[in-house]
Amino acid sequence: MSEGIFIRLLGEVSAEFRRQGAEEPIDLGPARQRTALSILAVVAPRPVPMDRLVAGVWGENAPRNAEQSVYTYVAGLRRAFEPGRGRREPSRVLAGTPAGYVLQVEPVQVDALLFAEWVEEARRVQRAGDDPQAVRRLDEALTLWRGTALSGLSGPFAEAERDRLEQLRLAALELRAESLLRLGRHRDIVEELGDLTRRNPLRERARELLMTALFRSGNPAEALKVYEEGRVLLAEELGLSPGEGLRRCYEMVLRADAAPAPSAPAPQETPHQLPRPLAEFVGRSGEAGWLTERLAPRDETSPSPLVIITGPPGVGKSALAAHVAHLAKDHFPDGQLFVNCRGATPELPALTPLDVLGRFLRALGMPPSAVPADLDEAAAAWRSRLHDRRVLVLLDDAADLSQIRPLLSASLGNTLLVTSRETMSWGEDAVQLELARMSQAESATVLANLAGASRIAADAGETARLVRLCDGLPLALRIAGARLAGRPDWSVSALAARLSDERTRLHELAAGDLAVRSSLAGSHTALERGSRPVDRLAARMLALLGLLHVPEMTAEVAGALAGIEPGQAESALERLVDAHLLDRAGPGRYQLHDLVRLFAGGLRPDDSRGALIRALSYYAASTRLASHVSDPHRTQLAAPVDALPHEINTAEEARAWLREEEAVLTAAAMQALNSPDDTIARLGVNLTFGLLWRQELAYRMAEMKELNTLALRVSERLGDAAGALIAHGHIANALRMTGNTDEAVAHLRSELELARRLGDAFAQMRALGNLANTFNSGERYEEALPWAERQLALARNIGASVGVRFAGLMMGHSHLGAERPEQAREALCEALANAEEAGDSSYEGQIRLALGEAHLGLEDPEQALPHLLRGLELISANGHRIGKVRCLIGLSRAYRMLKDPDRALVYVDEAVAGGGGLGHARWERRLREERAAVDAARGVTQAGPCP
């Protein structure tokens, strides 16, 4: 990264060196060069491909020399940022990578990124209730603005980005006003909000905040005038009525204006509003004990002021809360209050904080006519009513912290017990329990209580399966138990079989007014109705995630699905995590539980085809890039895809990414290959071909065969002979590696015939080499040799260096297998020189392994050792499982021949540990033979089979 550089986009685009407290301006050149810098800066330090730079600068009217112009701009920026850099010295600031150009600065070095980061930080502290800190951070963020963003620049990117940044600035101003209103500084912001509304007359949130500030400043008539102006503008300009927030604010002002003067306080009552607990509450003993101790401490100290139970829909939050509230109610002699906040009730709007306070104040004896219409006044009355009292308040299904915040100021001795699908953060006075899914034993007990213990115990295996299909959710388990109770003729296995069909599982999990789908729909609807853009984006994201049938996902693929930047996607994913609709599967990784995945799959968002194509294109492009970067010498048979891939710069990063994403990529390819949509199916073929080298190194032969069999079917359906040719070769490779030589040869002959028909000499050369490899693997060495010789001749003829060294390797294997080690050594030495000259470490490792084996065949273990050790180093680095086992067996043989069986034991033991479960009969047999030989050399007698 390049320290000391600061880039400004929030105004005229500029940059400066910051050194020892001084600022030195940087000449960024002409407008289009500054536009190119801006495109790079807003995503720094992520790569930007050439086509995105061209589109951002010129749009659809790019000149023919646009790419050359971009090269010129990049060179100009490099000179500006690194005036002392040598011509051949790589740039540390603006690097070129396979994925595009990367501006190597941190987000804190770009004012627009720093602004977004500070605004998000302000949101977080505001959600945590720290409004003074939120205001301070927003004030700092807003000082970064020096005028109109990207001032003086034109073009598609500049126009779109300017608008995006302006919307972010307006949102920050509104966020600041919200905190100032909560701090009682309404008079301070009337003028500022008035100016904001005049400049943005169609922005409803600003108008709503202005109305609130005017009303609290004692000017309700002016507040109503602001509403009427907005209503007329919305109708005339957009043909719309005011939104819910603006209407609610209008009604608040009207109610307050018409409300009579408050009467004298009435005597306080002792309410007992707790809902009835479940007759047979099952499990959760640890959680119930922990919560009860917070509500009614055994040491007689004050209870926790705020106790929150969060968790996914249907996990049993309400039942647990009612259970512990009844256990602790005797410690609250002044009453127990209850309200369903309707935070996730699809058919009904959530209660407002004023609604909740009004209900509670009336329950505590305040006459309805005396209940304040102003939120602050109602909160003050609430504090007065609870002063010197001990009341337990159960707030079920709270939408979020803002819904209950006015109630949090009650005096010590009172407790708010809150259930919510949202994760909440609130200072030191709060304790929070995240309720997990039920254990196997608890789940079985729920079923037994409803359907009968003997029935559930009769088949433990099917009961475990039913629990798994219910995802451990108490709601789903109660429904399943109720269905069994209502159908005495059904066995547990019969219901489990009905739930096994993913297409109808949510339909089956319904009984009476209980339904898993409705419970999940409540959370989704709450997000759709949310006042914040991130809520609505999260609702859309959940529907999009249901399109992709993969075990895990990242912000990058989520961004591809939604057509947005990964940072925005991550915000939506984290919002879903907070709503307990998504789980974290690891750093930067997310997963849907089965029932949520099925619900999401039924949402059917707009542009579902386009979203799926974008996600699969991201996977295909990233897989091809990773495969290439991990070993640039291997031929990439997957066609390039027009999509921004994951950023990968080194072979280690590429291998790590492929390891981590392999299961996801396999699932995505399987989904795409089974699609009737031609475009999607082609992407499945592309992704399958991109996985070849990873699957071969990791010995994923079952997956290779299955995916490529589907790829062959798709290619034949689409009339794609080139795709069919590649698929035949990959199927043959899987068959070869699992010992099915004749089947593999049949596919390779089809590959060779298609290559000839297409006139593709390189494909013919590969097919010849694959035939030699297959016959060698099948220990048919004399049949392999002619194919290797034919490959060598054709490779030399077409100038394919990779084919020359592979043919040499195959000839070496053939001679070795036919017990001609000297001829093998000669062929392999020539191949090794070729591999070293090309810098092909993968083939060098394999050739050195074979050379070591040739020297062992020549009874020369001392010459074999350096080749085997170097081969082991290279092959291990490339992650080639079978190659590593072969090297270890060779080293064990060498040390046996050198009369050092103890050293041999070390290598053969490592081979045994790494070679388990390969499914490769030949090398598993050789592994057993070598272990027996080592034991014999050490004088260890192996036990025979039991009689």
Side-chain angles (χ1 to χ4, degrees):
M1 293 295 174
S2 305
E3 300 173 357
I5 292 174
F6 192 77
I7 298 168
R8 300 182 183 274
L9 307 180
L10 303 179
E12 185 177 353
V13 175
S14 63
E16 61 208 29
F17 293 117
R18 293 184 170 182
R19 296 165 178 162
Q20 300 176 341
E23 296 179 358
E24 179 185 340
I26 300 173
D27 182 1
L28 297 177
R32 283 180 175 153
Q33 185 164 298
R34 283 181 281 130
T35 300
L37 172 64
S38 303
I39 296 171
L40 293 160
V42 295
V43 296
R46 296 185 63 243
V48 179
M50 175 63 76
D51 58 354
R52 184 171 294 187
L53 284 164
V54 170
V57 175
W58 289 281
E60 296 180 356
N61 300 316
R64 293 179 61 183
N65 65 340
E67 291 192 4
Q68 186 57 50
S69 295
V70 171
Y71 294 138
T72 302
Y73 300 153
V74 168
L77 290 170
R78 285 171 172 167
R79 286 193 300 272
F81 286 123
E82 300 170 283
R85 182 176 62 89
R87 291 185 60 188
R88 297 186 179 276
E89 183 183 347
S91 173
R92 293 183 301 106
V93 178
L94 186 45
T97 73
Y101 287 108
V102 179
L103 184 62
Q104 301 197 94
V105 295
E106 295 286 358
V108 294
Q109 294 174 258
V110 180
D111 63 354
L113 301 182
L114 184 61
F115 177 74
E117 186 176 302
W118 282 354
V119 170
E120 187 54 37
E121 181 185 334
R123 288 185 196 279
R124 286 195 299 271
V125 298
Q126 189 190 67
R127 285 198 295 267
D130 192 349
D131 284 301
Q133 176 59 21
V135 172
R136 284 192 293 272
R137 183 49 94 190
L138 288 166
D139 284 342
E140 287 178 299
L142 289 164
T143 61
L144 293 170
W145 285 76
R146 299 165 296 110
T148 303
L150 306 177
S151 177
L153 300 187
S154 59
F157 166 80
E159 292 166 9
E161 186 65 13
R162 186 180 295 118
D163 182 65
R164 185 188 73 83
L165 291 170
E166 176 62 13
Q167 294 304 311
L168 186 59
R169 186 184 72 86
L170 295 175
L173 289 169
E174 291 167 352
L175 202 66
R176 179 177 179 273
E178 289 172 14
S179 284
L180 289 171
L181 283 172
R182 276 193 291 273
L183 292 170
R185 294 171 56 186
H186 33 272
R187 288 187 172 84
D188 296 347
I189 57 173
V190 167
E191 184 176 346
E192 181 182 319
L193 284 171
D195 182 62
L196 179 61
T197 304
R198 281 189 294 275
R199 292 174 182 271
N200 302 273
L202 297 177
R203 199 167 178 93
E204 292 188 61
R205 181 58 178 156
R207 193 171 291 276
E208 180 185 338
L209 292 166
L210 175 59
M211 287 180 65
T212 305
L214 287 166
F215 174 71
R216 292 184 184 175
S217 300
N219 201 342
E222 191 64 27
L224 293 174
K225 181 181 176 183
V226 168
Y227 173 83
E228 182 60 21
E229 288 173 352
R231 185 191 66 78
V232 171
L233 271 171
L234 287 166
E236 291 179 350
E237 298 290 332
L238 303 177
L240 296 176
S241 299
E244 183 180 350
L246 202 53
R247 290 199 308 273
R248 192 163 53 233
C249 189
Y250 172 68
E251 290 163 3
M252 174 195 73
V253 176
L254 283 180
R255 282 200 307 270
D257 199 40
S263 57
Q268 298 197 13
E269 298 179 2
T270 303
H272 301 284
Q273 296 183 339
L274 293 180
R276 180 181 67 81
L278 291 177
E280 293 188 52
F281 186 82
V282 173
R284 307 293 198 193
S285 57
E287 294 92 335
W290 186 87
L291 288 166
T292 304
E293 179 63 20
R294 269 72 200 159
L295 298 175
R298 280 171 288 187
D299 60 5
E300 299 300 323
T301 57
S302 295
S304 298
L306 176 61
V307 180
I308 304 167
I309 306 173
T310 70
V315 81
K317 301 180 293 294
S318 299
L320 176 60
H323 177 68
V324 298
H326 278 277
L327 292 176
K329 66 181 180 182
D330 291 343
H331 290 261
F332 297 92
D334 296 313
Q336 304 89 42
L337 295 167
F338 168 79
V339 70
N340 180 352
C341 296
R342 302 200 304 237
T345 305
E347 301 83 8
L348 298 169
L351 298 182
T352 67
L354 193 59
D355 292 334
V356 175
L357 283 168
R359 292 185 183 205
F360 286 163
L361 290 172
R362 289 190 292 273
L364 291 169
M366 180 175 283
S369 61
V371 174
D374 177 75
L375 182 61
D376 290 342
E377 291 179 12
W382 166 253
R383 291 192 294 274
S384 297
R385 290 270 162 172
L386 293 189
H387 183 66
D388 283 340
R389 303 187 77 184
R390 292 175 67 91
V391 175
L392 175 61
V393 184
L394 176 50
L395 297 158
D396 191 33
D397 193 19
D400 52 31
L401 195 59
S402 65
Q403 189 182 29
I404 64 170
R405 184 179 282 111
L407 288 86
L408 298 177
S409 55
S411 58
L412 283 177
N414 300 286
T415 292
L416 270 63
L417 176 58
V418 181
T419 74
S420 179
R421 301 181 183 194
E422 298 287 340
T423 298
M424 296 186 181
S425 300
W426 179 264
E428 297 177 356
D429 286 343
V431 293
Q432 187 163 212
L433 172 71
E434 185 168 335
L435 199 56
R437 286 160 169 78
M438 278 189 157
S439 69
Q440 177 70 36
E442 289 176 326
S443 300
T445 304
V446 171
L447 293 171
N449 283 351
L450 292 164
S454 59
R455 195 171 171 194
I456 296 302
D459 192 337
E462 286 300 312
T463 297
R465 180 181 171 214
L466 182 58
V467 168
R468 193 165 55 253
L469 291 167
C470 289
D471 226 1
L473 282 177
L475 174 61
L477 291 163
R478 286 172 57 200
I479 292 169
R483 296 204 68 188
L484 285 171
R487 294 293 186 95
D489 55 319
W490 280 8
S491 64
V492 174
S493 63
L495 180 56
R498 295 174 75 92
L499 295 183
S500 294
D501 188 342
E502 290 192 346
R503 296 169 299 178
T504 58
R505 189 181 305 167
L506 291 179
H507 174 75
E508 294 286 345
L509 285 174
D513 61 351
L514 295 178
V516 171
R517 190 192 302 275
S518 298
S519 180
L520 294 169
S523 288
H524 182 252
T525 302
L527 289 172
E528 283 187 314
R529 293 176 177 174
S531 59
R532 299 178 300 163
V534 71
D535 295 334
R536 298 187 290 277
L537 180 59
R540 177 172 173 250
M541 184 63 75
L542 181 63
L544 292 170
L545 295 179
L547 299 173
L548 197 56
H549 305 162
V550 295
E552 296 176 2
M553 64 282 298
T554 63
E556 282 192 350
V557 74
L561 274 169
I564 58 179
E565 290 296 326
Q568 292 176 277
E570 184 177 31
S571 297
L573 294 172
E574 287 295 326
R575 183 67 187 85
L576 290 173
V577 170
D578 287 344
H580 293 95
L581 290 169
L582 191 66
D583 285 349
R584 294 187 184 92
R589 304 186 71 79
Y590 304 86
Q591 65 182 10
L592 291 166
H593 272 280
D594 282 350
L595 295 179
V596 181
R597 176 177 57 80
L598 296 177
F599 170 76
L603 293 175
R604 307 190 186 286
D606 294 338
D607 190 31
S608 56
R609 179 176 181 271
L612 188 55
I613 288 172
R614 288 193 298 272
L616 291 169
S617 297
Y618 161 78
Y619 279 142
S622 299
T623 303
R624 188 180 192 278
L625 175 63
S627 184
H628 169 71
V629 174
S630 66
D631 190 346
H633 296 281
R634 301 287 70 78
T635 302
Q636 300 302 323
L637 297 172
V641 176
D642 184 17
L644 183 66
H646 179 71
E647 181 181 358
I648 297 170
N649 296 309
T650 67
E652 291 74 19
E653 289 176 1
R655 292 176 193 130
W657 187 85
L658 287 168
R659 274 195 306 273
E660 189 168 36
E661 297 290 346
E662 184 180 359
V664 170
L665 299 172
T666 300
M670 188 72 70
Q671 177 185 352
L673 289 166
N674 282 294
S675 172
D677 184 292
D678 289 353
T679 301
I680 292 173
R682 282 186 192 277
L683 284 167
V685 172
N686 190 296
L687 182 50
T688 295
F689 292 168
L691 282 168
L692 170 70
W693 298 114
R694 168 62 194 168
Q695 290 175 334
E696 180 170 299
L697 291 171
Y699 201 74
R700 305 282 192 253
M701 294 303 109
E703 292 88 345
M704 184 186 292
K705 181 183 175 185
E706 184 177 13
L707 288 180
N708 281 281
T709 299
L710 290 170
L712 176 59
R713 187 183 307 160
V714 169
S715 296
E716 289 175 342
R717 183 184 96 204
L718 300 177
D720 181 3
L725 176 155
I726 296 168
H728 275 299
H730 292 184
I731 295 168
N733 196 40
L735 291 167
R736 172 186 70 81
M737 297 280 277
T738 51
N740 297 290
T741 303
D742 290 334
E743 288 183 70
V745 167
H747 279 282
L748 290 171
R749 292 189 187 278
S750 297
E751 179 188 19
L752 184 58
E753 176 56 32
L754 284 169
R756 286 171 176 159
R757 192 185 309 166
L758 292 170
D760 188 337
F762 189 86
Q764 291 178 57
M765 185 270 298
R766 290 186 72 253
L768 293 169
N770 288 337
L771 279 161
N773 199 9
T774 299
F775 281 119
N776 276 332
S777 295
E779 299 180 292
R780 291 155 63 173
Y781 304 111
E782 299 298 355
E783 291 180 77
L785 188 57
W787 294 107
E789 290 170 342
R790 289 175 62 184
Q791 182 193 28
L792 180 61
L794 182 53
R796 284 175 171 163
N797 187 47
I798 64 175
S801 177
V802 66
V804 170
R805 53 186 173 271
F806 186 80
L809 176 60
M810 290 302 102
M811 291 166 67
H813 281 315
S814 299
H815 287 305
L816 266 176
E819 299 183 356
R820 296 188 291 269
E822 180 57 38
Q823 289 171 268
R825 189 188 66 79
E826 291 174 3
L828 291 166
C829 282
E830 183 179 344
L832 178 61
N834 182 298
E836 288 178 326
E837 182 181 355
D840 188 343
S841 63
S842 178
Y843 275 1
E844 182 187 345
Q846 295 181 55
I847 294 166
R848 285 190 180 277
L849 163 59
L851 264 172
E853 292 172 337
H855 282 292
L856 291 176
L858 291 167
E859 303 292 327
D860 190 355
E862 290 183 346
Q863 286 293 321
L865 277 175
H867 287 298
L868 290 169
L869 288 168
R870 178 59 175 158
L872 178 62
E873 179 186 350
L874 294 171
I875 285 170
S876 296
N878 286 320
H880 197 310
R881 286 185 67 196
I882 285 188
K884 183 175 181 179
V885 169
R886 284 180 58 191
C887 278
L888 292 167
I889 291 173
L891 286 163
S892 176
R893 284 180 60 200
Y895 282 111
R896 269 197 304 110
M897 294 170 72
L898 290 168
K899 309 302 183 186
D900 190 350
D902 291 335
R903 191 83 173 268
L905 179 65
V906 173
Y907 287 107
V908 79
D909 276 350
E910 187 178 350
V912 169
L918 280 176
H920 195 295
R922 178 159 63 107
W923 285 104
E924 287 181 349
R925 183 186 76 240
R926 292 193 181 183
L927 191 54
R928 290 193 300 271
E929 291 170 352
E930 180 59 26
R931 179 56 196 257
V934 171
D935 286 342
R938 297 177 67 244
V940 176
T941 303
Q942 291 188 323
C946 295

